[in-house]
């Protein structure tokens, strides 16, 4: 264990919301904390606000009054940078501007001891660049806390190109000693969470631009069908459209405008209009007092078919649907269509009901077909999206809707877009994760931990790769690429290699 000693001083530079949160974490852990801000008087105001937070924790019974009093005695605002001279760790939480961070650390290097660890809380800038002008860049490391820092457990420990291993280990162990869950990662654009979360927002925005469905429906399908805590439209309204777009643009630029990270024109127009979400009263949704939240598109009641036929085994998580159908009292027989390897459900009217494979339902081969979207847990899902082909009749669609309603699901009928909603989003996240692991950005375990804790995903993307099979994800992305050439959906070489290995074992 190489955590800094509990009897040492931790300095936090930047007295905004994040800086106060980090200071509270260090303070509650038992350190002396000095809070500094370049704006005169702001550090003192922040210290007073922090004490009021501690008072509320006492009122709620979270900490005893004696601990609050001891913490208050260890907290002191600093009016000059020189007052941080005895710090063992300085964590910077100022504006996301590289010149400002470089200048700050350059000044700190003239003040603190040679063994003082310098940490940046940047979420989007290069740790390597932040440390680039230092005489001793090896002691500079990223410690990316998530807001609100006192509540969210994840901390990304980012090693810049010149960061010493000892410095990264100390930052990691210190965060763990503070009760956080640290993960290690290399200094690449977006680190782990902001890199791998891009498809969750980007695919929803692209689906909106393709007119697959409206924002409320896209949110509902990802939330109630995919198991995500919030939908991407309501989440970006909460984050701030300007903030979310800025991170997306930063990562896209840092990756030399890789098409996989391309920002959304629809979101750009929203930002240009000043509709930044909750903080401005309107974003994708209206937050004015009395405003009605739009409801997702939901199909009306349809009678359930008395029987269906299942051809082969339904792929991946969809295999459980046969069991669910039987539990609902619907007879399941065997479909004997010759020459077919894909698992699907044959509806009474003859239409094929199959899990999306990246291709649209409208093809000359399948005729009357309906695709249903992926769910990582069909038993728990409460909503399923369906996409009918041009050849499917209203009667065919009614049979499919009635079948899923009999399983206790609400149904959203969307436009016939390749890959649908959940499948397309999850496949892209998995590809990003497998690629990041192969490139040494982080271990598979840390990737899954980061995405579960950092953005509350219902599982880790490396875990999803195991459950779905890399070959299924690869084939879906290959189909998407065929439908949307340009490079956005090209599977990474790491995913292709993993898929090849899985198929070789099989």
């Amino acid at each position: 264990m190489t955590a800094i000693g509990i009897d040492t001083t931790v300095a936090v530079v930047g007295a905004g919301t994040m800086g106060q949160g980090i200071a509270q974490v260090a303070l509650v852990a038992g350190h002396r904390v000095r809070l500094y801000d370049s704006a005169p008087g702001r550090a003192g105001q922040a210290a007073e606000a922090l004490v009021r937070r501690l008072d509320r924790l006492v009122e709620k019974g979270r900490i005893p009054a004696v601990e609050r009093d001891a913490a208050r005695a260890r907290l002191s605002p600093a009016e000059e940078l020189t007052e941080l001279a005895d710090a063992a760790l300085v964590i910077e939480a100022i504006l996301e501007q590289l010149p400002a961070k470089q200048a700050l650390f350059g000044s700190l290097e003239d003040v603190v001891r040679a063994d003082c660890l310098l940490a940046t809380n940047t979420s989007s800038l290069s740790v390597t660049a932040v440390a680039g002008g230092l005489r001793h860049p090896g002691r500079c490391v990223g410690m990316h806390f998530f807001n609100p820092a006192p509540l969210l457990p994840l901390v990304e420990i980012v090693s810049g190109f010149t960061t010493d291993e000892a410095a990264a280990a100390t930052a990691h162990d210190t965060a763990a000693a503070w009760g956080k869950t640290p993960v290690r990662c290399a200094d690449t654009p977006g680190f782990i969470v902001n890199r791998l979360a891009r498809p969750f927002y980007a695919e929803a925005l692209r689906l909106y631009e393709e007119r697959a469905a409206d924002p409320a429906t896209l949110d509902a399908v990802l939330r109630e069908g995919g198991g995500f805590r919030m939908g991407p439209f309501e989440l970006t309204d909460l984050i701030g459209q300007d903030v979310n777009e800025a991170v997306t643009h930063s990562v896209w630029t840092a990756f030399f405008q890789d098409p996989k990270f391309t920002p959304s024109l629809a979101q750009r127009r929203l930002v240009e209009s000043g509709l930044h979400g909750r903080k401005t009263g309107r974003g994708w949704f209206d937050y004015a007092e009395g405003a009605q939240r739009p409801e997702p598109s939901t199909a009306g009641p349809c009678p359930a078919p008395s029987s269906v036929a299942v051809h082969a085994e339904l792929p991946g998580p969809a295999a459980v649907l046969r069991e669910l159908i039987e539990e609902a009292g619907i007879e399941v027989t065997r479909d004997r269509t010759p020459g077919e390897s894909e698992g699907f459900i044959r509806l009474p009217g003859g239409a094929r009901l199959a899990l999306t494979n990246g291709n649209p339902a409208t093809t000359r081969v399948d005729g009357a077909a309906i695709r249903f979207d992926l769910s990582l847990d069909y038993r728990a899902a409460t909503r399923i999206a369906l996409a009918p082909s041009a050849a499917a009749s209203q009667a065919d669609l009614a049979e499919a809707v009635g079948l899923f309603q009999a399983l206790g699901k609400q149904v959203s009928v969307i436009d016939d877009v390749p890959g649908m909603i959940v499948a397309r989003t999850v496949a892209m996240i998995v590809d990003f994760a497998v690629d990041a692991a192969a490139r040494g950005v982080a271990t598979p375990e840390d990737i899954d931990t980061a995405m579960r804790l950092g953005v509350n995903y219902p599982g880790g993307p490396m875990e999803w790769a195991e459950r779905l099979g890399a070959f299924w994800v690869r084939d879906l992305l290959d189909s998407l690429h065929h439908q949307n050439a340009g490079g956005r959906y090209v599977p990474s070489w790491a995913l292709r290699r993993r898929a090849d290995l899985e198929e070789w074992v099989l």
Side-chain angles (χ1 to χ4, degrees), residues 15 37-48 77-79:
D37 196 283
S38 60
R42 190 170 183 187
Q45 294 169 1
E48 292 172 0
E79 294 300 324

Side-chain angles (χ1 to χ4, degrees), residues 44-130:
Q45 294 169 1
E48 292 172 0
L50 212 165
V51 169
R52 289 194 295 271
R53 289 191 195 180
L54 297 177
D55 289 339
R56 287 195 293 272
L57 291 178
V58 172
E59 292 169 3
K60 295 177 180 179
R62 303 279 179 83
I63 62 172
V66 65
E67 284 190 18
R68 182 266 321 275
D69 295 341
R72 185 163 50 193
R74 294 194 303 271
L75 175 64
S76 59
E79 294 300 324
E80 301 293 337
L81 208 60
T82 53
E83 296 176 54
L84 312 184
D86 66 335
L89 167 63
V90 179
I91 303 176
E92 159 284 304
I94 65 173
L95 293 175
E96 287 286 87
Q97 295 176 357
L98 181 59
K101 292 181 187 291
Q102 289 173 326
L104 170 64
F105 280 117
S107 298
L108 280 168
E109 201 170 31
D110 293 330
V111 170
V112 299
R113 302 190 308 257
D115 61 348
C116 177
L117 186 65
L118 302 178
T120 172
N121 183 58
T122 183
S123 62
S124 60
L125 299 176
S126 163
V127 174
T128 303
V130 170

Side-chain angles (χ1 to χ4, degrees), residues 239-434:
I239 294 168
Q241 297 299 331
D242 54 335
V243 174
N244 182 260
E245 197 223 16
V247 173
T248 297
H249 197 276
S250 173
V251 173
W252 175 62
T253 302
F255 275 113
F256 307 105
Q257 301 185 354
D258 187 325
K260 289 179 179 288
F261 297 93
T262 301
S264 162
L265 182 60
Q267 188 177 41
R268 176 91 291 263
R269 293 292 178 258
L270 204 67
V271 172
E272 289 173 339
S273 300
L275 305 178
H276 295 171
R278 287 181 179 270
K279 62 186 178 184
T280 61
R282 185 179 165 196
W284 291 110
F285 305 113
D286 190 346
Y287 299 94
E289 186 176 353
Q292 292 294 314
R293 186 72 171 266
E295 293 294 326
S297 175
T298 303
C302 293
S306 59
S307 66
V308 296
V310 175
H311 180 86
E313 183 176 351
L314 299 176
V320 75
L321 285 176
R322 178 175 188 137
E323 184 179 320
L324 295 178
I325 293 168
E326 291 174 335
E327 289 174 5
I330 298 171
E331 182 184 7
V332 178
T333 61
R334 183 180 176 186
D335 181 89
R336 300 179 181 277
T337 303
E340 290 281 359
S341 58
E342 180 188 34
F344 63 86
I345 298 168
R346 181 75 71 185
L347 296 170
R352 296 164 53 118
L353 179 63
L355 175 64
T356 181
N357 61 2
N359 290 310
T362 303
T363 64
R364 288 181 298 174
V365 177
D366 289 350
I370 300 168
R371 291 284 179 182
F372 62 87
D373 206 352
L374 173 70
S375 174
L376 296 164
D377 186 347
Y378 283 98
R379 188 174 287 279
T382 58
R383 182 178 297 270
I384 297 294
L386 298 179
S389 70
S393 67
Q394 285 300 311
D396 293 329
L397 181 58
E399 288 179 345
V401 169
L403 175 63
F404 278 105
Q405 288 176 340
L407 306 186
K409 320 299 182 188
Q410 291 185 301
V411 177
S412 291
V413 179
I414 68 170
D415 193 39
D416 184 22
V417 292
M420 302 188 70
I421 302 171
V422 179
R424 188 156 141 179
T425 301
V426 167
M428 288 291 282
I429 293 171
V430 167
D431 186 43
F432 275 37
V434 171

